[in-house]
Amino acid sequence: MSKPDEHQSNEHQQMSISQTSNKRKNTRIRIRAAAAAAERHMASFFHDEFVEAKMQPNAIPSGAPDIKGPHRTVSLAWHPVAGFAGSWFAEQTGLGKLISTSTKDCPDPTQHWGVLVGDYAHQLWMDEHLDVIYTNEKVDTAIWKHSFEVGHTRFSDEALRQAAEMTIHGMREHQAAYNLISNNCQVFALRLLDAIQIGKHREFATSFEVYRAAVGPGAVVDLFKVQADELPPPEVESEGNRPPEHVMQDAKKVMDENTTKLDEHHKIF
């Protein structure tokens, strides 16, 4: 190859690299803009429902908080958001089509996850300011159709409610506003599971003490500490032959395998 030809070839390669770099940069910008617009669009569309959720009364009946009861099955479950509205958002809007064809690194905003124990579902929702809040409801199997057993807990319904309040408080301390990627229903479900699972009772009691110190004193703090000390040590009190970290790994795998992603391109943000 002659020197002029070689020089021209190098220029073409540099131009190609530059064009590729610019294309990737523009794609990342479009993806970020699409994700941000998705949150604004969804927030506006479901605003009334969020306000209604905040008004939703606590469904957990009054009872003694107990973290050393018999083992109870814990499931992660999901259902479509807002039925027709969620489908409309995902399939009919131009924004939804842009996201579904451009990015799959984020969880589908129309797929809502919660934690199911006994007759009640524990979930993250949003208030009228789009800040994350905790709500619960009686489990309707016609709605929560997609359910996956991931472990067990000793927590009573009232103890679960208080653990969920502690979990949402921790999330709000870090970031109050809902975020499609980093502050969503999946994050809440996994954090709550981690707090209530078998073998984490002493860690929970300590965390709850810190939480109550932040929001105000409560007699239940001492109760949880006493109950935690009455249970076997964490290395003995575990989920069968699975230590707590394995339970969480399995739960994350279940959630990942059963959550629609908005793109299969990685590291785009």
Side-chain angles (χ1 to χ4, degrees):
M1 180 183 295
S2 66
K3 287 186 177 181
D5 289 340
E6 184 178 351
H7 180 70
Q8 187 176 18
S9 175
N10 288 337
E11 284 185 340
H12 286 163
Q13 288 178 357
Q14 292 176 359
M15 184 178 297
S16 177
I17 292 173
S18 178
Q19 289 175 342
T20 300
S21 177
N22 288 336
K23 184 177 180 180
R24 289 176 177 172
K25 181 179 179 180
N26 290 336
T27 298
R28 287 195 295 269
I29 292 173
R30 289 178 65 239
I31 288 170
R32 290 193 184 102
E39 289 190 46
R40 292 195 300 270
H41 188 89
M42 183 176 69
S44 176
F45 191 81
F46 296 133
H47 180 272
D48 290 343
E49 183 167 341
F50 296 155
V51 173
E52 182 179 347
K54 186 178 181 181
M55 304 294 290
Q56 180 179 329
N58 168 46
I60 305 297
S62 59
D66 187 0
I67 64 171
K68 64 183 185 68
H71 287 199
R72 307 174 71 194
T73 299
V74 179
S75 298
L76 292 176
W78 71 270
H79 67 73
V81 172
F84 170 77
S87 298
W88 176 87
F89 173 80
E91 299 172 5
Q92 301 300 322
T93 68
L95 178 59
K97 291 176 183 178
L98 171 62
I99 296 173
S100 62
T101 57
S102 300
T103 95
K104 282 197 172 167
D105 210 33
C106 308
D108 184 344
T110 69
Q111 196 171 349
H112 178 66
W113 285 86
V115 175
L116 273 56
V117 181
D119 294 330
Y120 301 96
H122 305 267
Q123 60 194 339
L124 173 149
W125 208 242
M126 288 174 264
D127 62 17
E128 68 273 23
H129 304 296
L130 307 185
D131 290 342
V132 296
I133 60 172
Y134 160 66
T135 68
N136 56 58
E137 64 184 27
K138 196 80 177 286
V139 172
D140 184 343
T141 55
I143 295 176
W144 296 96
K145 294 180 180 179
H146 310 280
S147 178
F148 311 90
E149 293 186 10
V150 292
H152 295 83
T153 185
R154 289 183 177 274
F155 284 46
S156 66
D157 290 330
E158 175 58 21
L160 284 167
R161 184 191 68 78
Q162 297 202 30
E165 294 282 9
M166 181 190 75
T167 300
I168 211 73
H169 176 267
M171 293 177 67
R172 288 176 66 99
E173 284 285 285
H174 177 70
Q175 178 180 336
Y178 175 87
N179 183 279
L180 180 63
I181 303 169
S182 61
N183 213 41
N184 56 33
C185 57
Q186 290 176 294
V187 172
F188 168 79
L190 289 173
R191 287 190 180 185
L192 178 57
L193 170 64
D194 190 38
I196 67 173
Q197 64 172 308
I198 299 293
K200 297 294 288 287
H201 46 280
R202 291 182 179 173
E203 186 174 331
F204 167 77
T206 300
S207 298
F208 194 85
E209 184 176 18
V210 173
Y211 157 64
R212 289 306 310 182
V215 300
V220 75
V221 174
D222 293 332
L223 174 62
F224 283 157
K225 289 173 64 179
V226 170
Q227 291 179 344
D229 288 339
E230 291 174 349
L231 288 169
E235 59 271 19
V236 176
E237 177 81 348
S238 61
E239 183 71 38
N241 60 352
R242 294 188 302 163
E245 61 269 21
H246 288 184
V247 173
M248 293 306 300
Q249 289 171 5
D250 293 344
K252 290 176 182 176
K253 183 179 179 182
V254 165
M255 185 172 282
D256 186 61
E257 291 177 347
N258 292 279
T259 299
T260 302
K261 298 296 190 302
L262 296 182
D263 196 345
E264 294 175 355
H265 302 335
H266 301 296
K267 298 180 181 177
I268 54 178
F269 291 98

